[in-house]
Amino acid sequence: MNEDTLLSARGLTLHFGKVPALVNVDADLWPGEVLAVVGESGSGKTTLLNVLSGRMRADAGVTWYRDPQSRLHDVHAMPAPALRALHRSDWGFVHQNPRDNLRMSVSAGGNVGERLMAAGQRHYGNIREAAIDWLAQVEIDPARVDDMPRTFSGGMLQRLQIARTLVTHPRLVFMDEPTGGLDVSVQARLLDLIRSLVARLNIAVVLVTHDLAVARLLAHRIMVMQRGVVVETGLTDKVLDDPQHEYTQLLVSSVLQA
Amino acid sequence: MNGYNFAYLDEQTKRMIRRALLKAVAIPGHQVPFGSREMPLPYGWGTGGIQVTASVLGAGDTLKVIDQGADDTTNAVSIRRFFARTAGVATTTDTAEATIIQTRHRIPEKQLREDQIIVYQVPQPEPLSKLEPSRAETRRMHALAEYGSMHVRLYEDITRFGHVAISYDYPVMVNRRYLMAPSPIPAFDNPKMHMMPALQLFGAGREKRIYAIPPYTDVRSLDFDDHPFRTTRAPQCCALCGADDSYLDEVVTDDQGGRMFVCSDTDHCESRQAEGHTGTGEPITREAAE
Ligand SMILES: Nc1ncnc2c1ncn2[C@@H]1O[C@H](COP(=O)(O)OP(=O)(O)O)[C@@H](O)[C@H]1O
Ligand SMILES: [Mg+2]
């Protein structure tokens, strides 16, 4: 593992029966960097995200995480309590469907405040204050702090999920198709928001997307996956402007034709 | 009762329950599974509490049984009679005289002592059950002391009502480690559990769980720094003994809307009256109360 990588994976391999979801995948992520994982549906992107974040085990390979004290942790050898604590504090996970993460019968403020309460904060006024501040940061009217998420639009739900995730200032956030399923205009606004937040807060992101335009807008580096294999990796602009692998060339040309 | 073992349960079952009790005492507030037995009473009638009482009862004990604070309800009377018959122990309604007190929904007003045991009947031992239906998940949450979601519930109450709107079974942290359901006692009684000199045992028959609070254990009701836990009681005095600090029941006295507030702890009320304390004795009309 390089001196200052935040997350490093080597030789990740995982089969579902005969389906190769990951084949000898290496990945590195530096602090503050956005790494996009792109590829067609079924290429293994979500599986990679789940393995990197310790939510799923690989058949082979290792994933290292460097904590703020610069100690290295083998993500899959961590005791469950430590991994769960990591997911509640230093890490975050943004799901494609915000309903998978939000508590739909709890107010927006309660949703945003939960990680603070889990981290031991016990001052109602401060928690509410932080929730209101975070709603504003994700461009939700703070007057809606007491409203139930079920009264929110799809784009607002996704922004609420982001506020709920970022409230503890994680250093590393995993995102799985965060703009999937949203209207194009709503997508554009959300992408701008994600881009400015991660830049300002210096958050490292592993971003899974099948959309090259999303990768281009948000990611510093890109990994292209095909049938579980990383076929090409490099700086986003370089890979997309001058793709070397024929599968990447196919992906890029299909975007240009569209 | 001929043909039955002392206190109804066979010795092997009592040993099994005592082992669970020892474990429960060793890990305050932690729920210990036990092999709940069929009892000659349906679930919901305190079978968990009865099994715990049967396992700690000795021939020299004096037993008190209360239901919502009263010694004279059908349920309290039948449990007391059950142990009088099956164990031949002395029974009492006097809190100070009892060595074991089995209770449903109240803690006596009188401060309990080191030489007493209080046994609570528990319908739902899992404080997280309303937030998380999966048993496996709540076990994990307890193991990792992940109680943030319970505070989310309190947060929601304060947001909606300006205060925590839990009046019974108000969750507590035991020994700063385990979140525990105190059984459906009023939140008014929660402070009595903190540093109580008596041993507190909890039995849930249907859910097959036992838990305990050893004497002099830290027991805190969940709250926020800026919304500290507060007890509430009806602003009246007891109409019979005049007490202004006891937990009151509202009793309807006629069909004209007349009602009285009286101590829910009948022994407490009667002993105060015996000492010469009196209330107004008068029912109040609905208008007067408002
Ligand atoms: N839990 C699972 N059980 C069986 N097969 C799975 C499972 N999860 C994913 N797969 C298969 O693994 C491959 C990669 O899936 P996935 O990582 O979800 O791809 P992507 O996110 O790129 O669409 C696909 O062929 C998918 O059908
Ligand atoms: Mg996917």
Side-chain angles (χ1 to χ4, degrees), chain A residues 102 108 112 135 140 152 156-164:
Chain A
L102 295 170
V112 177
L135 290 183
I140 294 175
F152 287 16
M156 283 170 75
L157 284 179
Q158 195 53 286
R159 282 180 275 133
L160 182 62
Q161 182 187 197
I162 288 168
R164 170 177 163 88

Side-chain angles (χ1 to χ4, degrees), chain A residues 81 84 88 103 105-107 109-110 114 117-118 121-128 131 145-146 148, chain B residues 131 137 140-141 144-149 151-156 158-160 223-227:
Chain A
R84 278 172 75 118
R88 285 201 313 269
R103 291 181 188 272
S105 56
V106 164
S107 68
E114 177 163 0
M117 293 182 245
Q121 287 204 27
R122 293 291 177 263
H123 191 283
Y124 174 85
N126 293 349
I127 293 164
R128 190 174 165 80
V145 64
D146 298 337
M148 291 293 157
Chain B
L131 303 170
E137 183 58 20
R140 212 169 293 133
M141 290 161 83
L144 305 178
E146 277 181 10
Y147 299 134
S149 56
H151 264 94
V152 172
R153 184 176 169 207
L154 303 195
Y155 174 98
E156 290 294 286
I158 294 170
T159 299
R160 236 179 292 169
D223 62 3
F224 286 98
D225 299 342
D226 50 340
H227 286 266

Side-chain angles (χ1 to χ4, degrees), chain B residues 47-66:
Chain B
T47 56
I50 291 171
Q51 290 178 80
V52 170
T53 298
S55 304
V56 295
L57 198 63
D61 273 309
T62 303
L63 180 68
K64 172 182 165 78
V65 181
I66 50 174

Side-chain angles (χ1 to χ4, degrees), chain A residues 45-46 96 176-177 208:
Chain A
K45 306 183 296 296
T46 295
Q96 172 169 358
D176 194 356
E177 308 270 8
V208 158

Side-chain angles (χ1 to χ4, degrees), chain A residues 16-17 19-22 39-48 50 56 176-177 208 225 228:
Chain A
F16 292 110
V19 179
L22 298 175
E40 289 173 307
S41 173
S43 56
K45 306 183 296 296
T46 295
T47 304
L48 177 59
N50 285 332
M56 202 182 263
D176 194 356
E177 308 270 8
V208 158
M225 292 188 72

